[in-house]
Amino acid sequence: MADILPKPLQRLILVLAKLPGVGSRTAMRYALHLVREGSDRLEELSAALDETRREVSLCPSCFGMSEGGGLCPICASPERRGETLCVVEGIGDMPPIESAAQYAGRYFVLHKLLSPLKGVGPQELHLDRLLDTVRDHGIAEVVLATPLTTDGEATATYLSRLLTQEGVRVTRLAAGVPVGGAIEYLDRLTLSRAFQDRKEL
Amino acid sequence: MRVVSAILEDFRNLSVRVDLACGINVFVGRNGQGKTNFLEALFVACMGRSFRPGRLADLVRFSAPGATVELGVEERGIVTPVRVSIAGSQRRHRVGGRDNCSLSEVAQMIRAVFFGPDDLDLVKGSPSGRRSFLDEAIRVHHPPYERLLMGYQRLLRDRNQLLRDFGSGRHPPEELLASYEGELARWGGQIVSHRSRYLRDYSPMAVELVARHTGGQLTLELAHECTAGPCGGAIEVGDAQEMLLGRLRDLRGEDIRSGSTTVGPHLDDLRLDVNGRAARLFASQGEQRQVAVSMKLAQLALWRQKFGVTPLLLLDDVLSELDSTRIRLLLDAIAGWQVQAVLTTTAPPDVVWKDDDACFRVKEGGICRVDFDKVADEA
Ligand SMILES: Nc1ncnc2c1ncn2[C@@H]1O[C@H](COP(=O)(O)OP(=O)(O)O)[C@@H](O)[C@H]1O
Ligand SMILES: [Mg+2]
Ligand SMILES: [Zn+2]
């Protein structure tokens, strides 16, 4: 069906289909929609894309998102406590932590988790940059906030070994009973973890 | 809880209605008539899957659009229909008037345990069969155990990949391997501990049943053979983790050479001795069969203790190698528990049946009730 469409439109469909959660049918629907909406809509989209390409890049300090090639707002802010660093898997992990409003330090985004099977080793996580940051900024505590999956846990374990050698305090987000959760209905793997991680009051 | 009726439509070669007795139901017929198919129908209705390998669609009669099995499940005088329908690769359960019930909802109504000729592998076969026997039982008592097993398998493959990376001269940092060993020991230690705690409860039950079902002639001993180190009795998670971690570190050099992890619950075994000798090597086929059946009944006894519900017992062709004394002891044990059972055989055993028992003849996909004393003549 797509072969009867003009070549540029076919290319647009192929590009759109690479987006997560978009298959070839949805891609075609989007493409046809944009064309039907007319040149204003296309202009708007292409301008937004253009600006994103020009202005948005990874923050050279934390590998989060920044504008204009400089530091991201968090790294640039004088109000953030400079001596703690929170290591997360992805940029998507930052907004929830921010809105929880418990953490006032800085971040480091790995973009990947260790996975020997998938060929992701320490080099792929630019850990040299993490170590540089820890040394150069006199970081006193690194909070490991990688997910509680096998990859996330293995990554946290490896990082803690690496960072402890640097003499920095390493902590891991607690795992356990969700706030407002009844013990009775908690899955037992979580519950046993909560017992292991219990704390003195 | 008991099954009073089963109505099958286009389930393999069967379209029948059978009213079951509450004791032992004996299905007699030659090979290839549909006996195992009937047990399979009951099992699928209770558990949502078959005990035979293959696809769901295989259960549907050749060239029919779909199959259904409806059980009448009685509990305190009230009969609830439990119905499974299979069309293509889709399965749907209805319990009472509620459609699309989950398997755990069905499990609250009824469960089934299947014993088949292949169960002999439990005694005779490789360690992996005994590991899955343990793991399946533990999963029933503790569903999140499944995630432990999956996580462990994943980490195992990760460590093996790292070992091969080392072997092939690409040198991942030593610390990386150490981290994965730490994780592997953390997950693996939990598995070892679960298995040992299950065995602490299970072993005495299995030992007792083997003795009882053989009139004291066979003495079973079970031992958790743990590659990480000695773990008689129930071992605490922390101890198991430490033991495993130590061994992983010790064996690192060797494992790099072989490219695989040579210690851990993925290699552990359950050693079975009968009268002081390895059952796998020294017990006769009949004795092995006996031990396998008693071991599965012990698993069931533990379920009973824990959940208060007794699963429907399905025994496919397991009596053939037992002599009549042992068959009677086994059937007495089943009757003593007031368990409902369905068993198949090519020739009905020569024992005294009770009023709660019933006999059926299976011939070319037809099933009808007959008297115990008539079935032998007609065969
Ligand atoms: N999907 C199916 N449709 C129709 N017949 C089937 C199907 N699957 C198996 N059969 C038939 O079922 C018979 C075997 O039944 P089974 O219950 O295994 O025999 P037995 O009485 O020896 O246990 C075979 O004749 C086989 O052709
Ligand atoms: Mg059969
Ligand atoms: Zn930044």
Side-chain angles (χ1 to χ4, degrees):
Chain A
M1 152 76 186
D3 340 330
I4 61 166
L5 298 173
K7 285 271 166 358
L9 204 51
Q10 289 185 31
R11 274 195 291 278
L12 177 60
I13 291 171
L14 286 178
V15 171
L16 288 173
K18 287 182 186 162
L19 295 173
V22 178
S24 56
R25 290 168 66 102
T26 313
M28 170 145 29
R29 225 157 32 80
Y30 285 174
L32 294 178
H33 175 82
L34 285 167
V35 174
R36 234 181 291 117
E37 288 274 299
S39 61
D40 281 0
R41 190 44 59 84
L42 283 171
E43 203 61 60
E44 193 178 87
L45 183 67
S46 90
L49 288 173
D50 221 36
E51 194 185 20
T52 305
R53 186 177 51 77
R54 264 187 289 108
E55 298 293 329
V56 177
S57 57
L58 291 186
C59 167
S61 172
C62 70
F63 293 97
M65 291 291 178
S66 71
E67 201 180 325
L71 292 175
C72 72
I74 291 179
C75 288
S77 161
E79 270 146 48
R80 304 296 292 210
R81 297 178 36 179
E83 72 276 22
T84 52
L85 193 67
C86 178
V87 177
V88 293
E89 177 192 359
I91 292 168
D93 298 327
M94 292 163 66
I97 296 178
E98 283 299 293
S99 62
Q102 269 299 311
Y103 181 69
R106 302 217 258 132
Y107 289 92
F108 189 89
V109 186
L110 296 170
H111 291 282
K112 277 179 180 169
L113 296 174
L114 291 176
S115 171
L117 274 176
K118 290 186 204 143
V120 183
Q123 320 75 271
E124 279 74 27
L125 307 189
H126 43 247
L127 296 183
D128 40 345
R129 293 300 303 276
L130 175 61
L131 290 177
D132 286 348
T133 309
V134 168
R135 290 180 198 130
D136 299 350
H137 293 76
I139 300 287
E141 177 183 353
V142 176
V143 185
L144 299 173
T146 52
L148 279 113
T149 57
T150 51
D151 286 346
E153 294 269 69
T155 304
T157 305
Y158 179 65
L159 289 181
S160 81
R161 283 168 172 270
L162 212 62
L163 292 163
T164 318
Q165 290 170 357
E166 295 294 315
V168 59
R169 175 167 182 241
V170 182
T171 55
R172 175 92 171 107
L173 280 195
V177 185
V179 176
I183 304 285
E184 188 186 351
Y185 299 114
L186 204 59
D187 95 77
R188 291 193 256 176
L189 218 50
T190 307
L191 199 54
S192 73
R193 185 62 187 267
F195 263 95
Q196 285 167 30
D197 287 1
R198 72 188 186 276
K199 66 173 183 189
E200 199 86 46
L201 289 181
Chain B
M1 181 260 3
R2 69 188 190 106
V3 178
V4 290
S5 62
I7 303 166
L8 283 62
E9 269 169 55
D10 290 332
F11 189 95
R12 296 215 189 249
N13 69 333
L14 301 173
S15 293
V16 289
R17 180 195 165 103
V18 179
D19 292 309
L20 292 168
C22 60
I24 298 170
N25 296 271
V26 184
F27 285 70
V28 185
R30 298 204 193 140
N31 288 324
Q33 304 303 303
K35 301 185 297 298
T36 305
N37 292 348
F38 183 70
L39 295 189
E40 190 181 29
L42 298 177
F43 191 87
V44 172
C46 299
M47 309 299 278
R49 62 184 166 86
S50 175
F51 47 71
R52 292 205 260 221
R55 297 165 305 140
L56 219 42
D58 298 341
L59 304 178
V60 180
R61 184 193 294 275
F62 304 136
S63 78
T68 57
V69 181
E70 181 169 319
L71 307 182
V73 178
E74 191 220 77
E75 173 97 70
R76 289 190 208 95
I78 298 166
V79 178
T80 310
V82 172
R83 181 189 166 94
V84 63
S85 31
I86 296 155
S89 59
Q90 298 288 313
R91 172 193 57 79
R92 269 170 59 191
H93 257 100
R94 201 171 73 202
V95 175
R98 297 209 309 113
D99 224 337
N100 288 319
C101 286
S102 72
L103 286 180
S104 59
E105 285 172 287
V106 178
Q108 281 164 20
M109 275 304 288
I110 187 165
R111 283 173 183 275
V113 185
F114 175 77
F115 296 59
D118 291 347
D119 286 334
L120 197 56
D121 286 349
L122 182 59
V123 179
K124 225 180 166 175
S126 64
S128 72
R130 286 181 287 279
R131 285 194 298 270
S132 358
F133 173 74
L134 281 181
D135 291 341
E136 229 162 82
I138 298 168
R139 214 178 279 141
V140 171
H141 293 265
H142 185 87
Y145 183 67
E146 176 69 21
R147 269 191 290 149
L148 276 180
L149 291 174
M150 279 170 20
Y152 178 79
Q153 283 302 332
R154 175 69 201 279
L155 288 163
L156 187 64
R157 280 182 289 144
D158 278 327
R159 180 176 187 260
N160 288 345
Q161 182 61 50
L162 285 174
L163 294 170
R164 285 194 293 273
D165 289 352
F166 260 99
S168 65
R170 260 173 293 148
H171 271 279
E174 195 95 2
E175 286 295 317
L176 188 62
L177 197 46
S179 303
Y180 274 90
E181 282 162 7
E183 289 300 298
L184 199 57
R186 206 151 64 79
W187 291 65
Q190 295 192 62
I191 293 171
V192 169
S193 172
H194 266 295
R195 286 187 186 157
S196 78
R197 275 177 289 163
Y198 178 73
L199 282 172
R200 178 195 53 197
D201 299 339
Y202 170 78
S203 297
M205 189 74 89
V207 170
E208 189 198 318
L209 291 193
V210 168
R212 201 193 305 159
H213 298 161
T214 61
Q217 286 177 359
L218 299 186
T219 308
L220 175 70
E221 272 174 87
L222 299 94
H224 188 190
E225 285 208 320
C226 206
T227 48
C231 59
I235 182 164
E236 287 302 319
V237 176
D239 296 338
Q241 289 170 333
E242 206 178 299
M243 200 161 75
L244 188 51
L245 185 59
R247 294 293 289 152
L248 283 167
R249 281 192 192 132
D250 292 347
L251 289 170
R252 191 186 293 170
E254 251 170 73
D255 286 356
I256 287 175
R257 273 189 294 284
S258 70
S260 70
T261 301
T262 56
V263 62
H266 63 293
L267 295 173
D268 292 352
D269 196 1
L270 175 62
R271 201 182 68 226
L272 304 173
D273 286 350
V274 168
N275 295 348
R277 293 209 166 78
R280 187 169 57 89
L281 302 172
F282 298 106
S284 73
Q285 175 106 345
E287 288 170 336
Q288 292 177 338
R289 167 85 60 211
Q290 176 75 56
V291 169
V293 171
S294 299
M295 281 181 65
K296 289 207 76 173
L297 282 171
Q299 182 188 31
L300 196 112
L302 226 52
W303 280 21
R304 232 170 101 87
Q305 268 183 6
K306 172 130 180 181
F307 298 108
V309 295
T310 314
L312 177 66
L313 207 57
L314 307 173
L315 299 135
D316 193 23
D317 221 5
V318 294
L319 301 182
S320 47
E321 281 142 349
L322 305 185
D323 61 42
S324 57
T325 319
R326 288 191 181 168
I327 291 177
R328 186 66 263 173
L329 285 167
L330 199 67
L331 297 181
D332 277 348
I334 293 170
W337 284 347
Q338 302 185 304
V339 183
Q340 188 180 24
V342 183
L343 66 86
T344 72
T345 175
T346 45
D350 188 16
V351 293
V352 185
W353 299 97
K354 300 199 164 71
D355 288 346
D356 286 345
D357 302 336
C359 185
F360 301 83
R361 153 171 311 290
V362 184
K363 197 170 178 185
E364 289 165 12
I367 298 180
C368 59
R369 189 163 174 172
V370 287
D371 286 342
F372 275 107
D373 42 3
K374 299 247 174 62
V375 69
D377 315 337
E378 290 173 32

